[in-house]
Amino acid sequence: IVAFSSAVLLIVAAGCLGLIFYTASVVDRAHVDEERALISNYLREREHEMVGQLISASIWDDAYQKLSRDLDAEWADLYIGSYFETYMRHAASFVLDEADQPVYAWRDGARAGERQAAAFLRETAPLVAKVRDLEALRGAARNRGIAGSVTRTGVISVGGELYMAAVTKIVHETSAINSRGAPHRLLLSARRIDAALLQDVAQAMRVSDVRLLAWNRAIPASVQIRAPDGTPIAALAWTSSRPGDAMLAQIAPLFALG
């Protein structure tokens, strides 16, 4: 009888222990799911942040005039290239003409040539196309001020580095400026997803070891990053706090005493 009772107790204990481990794993998975949702939202908010940054320069009478056919490159250096780099941490900025060709390019502290612009334009082509489609749908009635602004954002890969990119129309702000009509010139700018941005994610989301992985090496504690055309290009990963492990650490001494 004693042996039978002991066997029953061992079975019950093993069952309880198994249930505890299962519960801990469920808690960990649920926590990772919550982190994934929060970090995905955070990254979308950082992309949306770029919209406000771009329209601060693109909805402006001066920009509409200075970045027109007779583009003032020195003005663009001051109010586009160096401005976005210094105050917004953007690595590259471009002005595209009515045919979506680069007429001004700035990258990593200096004016850039067409060759340096080409890779950015190739990767942001889907964003440019969406802006042009919306511009055509809105027509001439909405061609100035915030009502005339159209912006699209996305993540691109250029030269093995990831960037948050945004494209917007350059429109005049007031009726004092005569509109040239559609299509408008476009402003394109990109912020590198670098160590500083990853640290921002870690601090804001209270996670550790935030890093970039190849898209096909994603782990459970990660979010997939896709290009504007939907192609997976990377994964942003982190080390989860694993609250289930903390729960096990608290319960384990009770079994040891038993």
Side-chain angles (χ1 to χ4, degrees), residues 25-38 205-207 238-244:
S25 68
V26 169
V27 169
D28 283 340
R29 287 197 299 271
H31 185 67
V32 168
D33 288 343
E34 182 181 12
E35 288 177 331
R36 190 182 299 113
L38 290 172
M205 298 291 99
R206 297 184 180 180
V207 292
W238 61 93
T239 298
S240 180
S241 58
R242 298 182 65 86

Side-chain angles (χ1 to χ4, degrees), residues 5 13 31 38-40 69 76 81 88 90 101 108 139 148 161 168 190 199 205 216 227 230-231 233 239-240 242 252:
S5 298
H31 185 67
L38 290 172
I39 290 174
S40 294
R69 184 164 298 176
M88 312 297 183
H90 293 196
Q101 296 302 304
D108 293 327
E161 295 184 298
T168 190
Q199 184 61 30
M205 298 291 99
N216 56 355
T231 303
I233 53 176
T239 298
S240 180
R242 298 182 65 86

Side-chain angles (χ1 to χ4, degrees), residues 4 11 45 55 58 65 110 133 137 140 163 181 219 227-228 233 245 256:
F4 176 76
I11 292 171
E45 287 172 2
I55 66 175
S58 65
Q65 292 178 308
D133 288 344
L137 285 172
Y163 297 81
I219 59 176
I233 53 176
D245 286 353

Side-chain angles (χ1 to χ4, degrees), residues 82-95:
S82 62
Y83 172 74
F84 281 122
E85 182 172 26
T86 302
Y87 297 104
M88 312 297 183
R89 291 160 59 181
H90 293 196
S93 297
F94 308 93
V95 176

Side-chain angles (χ1 to χ4, degrees), residues 3-156:
F4 176 76
S5 298
S6 298
V8 170
L9 288 174
L10 285 173
I11 292 171
V12 171
C16 290
L17 191 59
L19 180 61
I20 290 169
F21 274 102
Y22 173 75
T23 302
S25 68
V26 169
V27 169
D28 283 340
R29 287 197 299 271
H31 185 67
V32 168
D33 288 343
E34 182 181 12
E35 288 177 331
R36 190 182 299 113
L38 290 172
I39 290 174
S40 294
N41 287 336
Y42 179 81
L43 293 175
R44 281 193 292 270
E45 287 172 2
R46 296 308 293 266
E47 275 190 45
H48 186 71
E49 188 178 85
M50 294 188 69
V51 175
Q53 294 170 353
L54 258 66
I55 66 175
S56 69
S58 65
I59 306 176
W60 188 13
D61 289 353
D62 284 357
Y64 190 75
Q65 292 178 308
K66 297 290 187 179
L67 302 177
S68 65
R69 184 164 298 176
D70 298 320
L71 186 141
D72 186 335
E74 291 186 358
W75 187 94
D77 287 344
L78 183 61
Y79 292 102
I80 302 297
S82 62
Y83 172 74
F84 281 122
E85 182 172 26
T86 302
Y87 297 104
M88 312 297 183
R89 291 160 59 181
H90 293 196
S93 297
F94 308 93
V95 176
L96 309 185
D97 68 11
E98 294 78 3
D100 303 333
Q101 296 302 304
V103 292
Y104 174 81
W106 177 281
R107 186 174 179 184
D108 293 327
R111 288 186 203 170
E114 290 186 11
R115 185 175 180 180
Q116 289 178 290
F120 280 90
L121 299 183
R122 182 172 58 252
E123 298 302 324
T124 55
L127 300 178
V128 171
K130 288 178 182 178
V131 169
R132 291 303 189 197
D133 288 344
L134 285 170
E135 180 182 43
L137 285 172
R138 290 189 174 191
R142 301 172 70 179
N143 61 7
R144 70 176 176 89
I146 194 68
S149 180
V150 177
T151 307
R152 285 296 178 267
T153 65
V155 179
I156 60 173

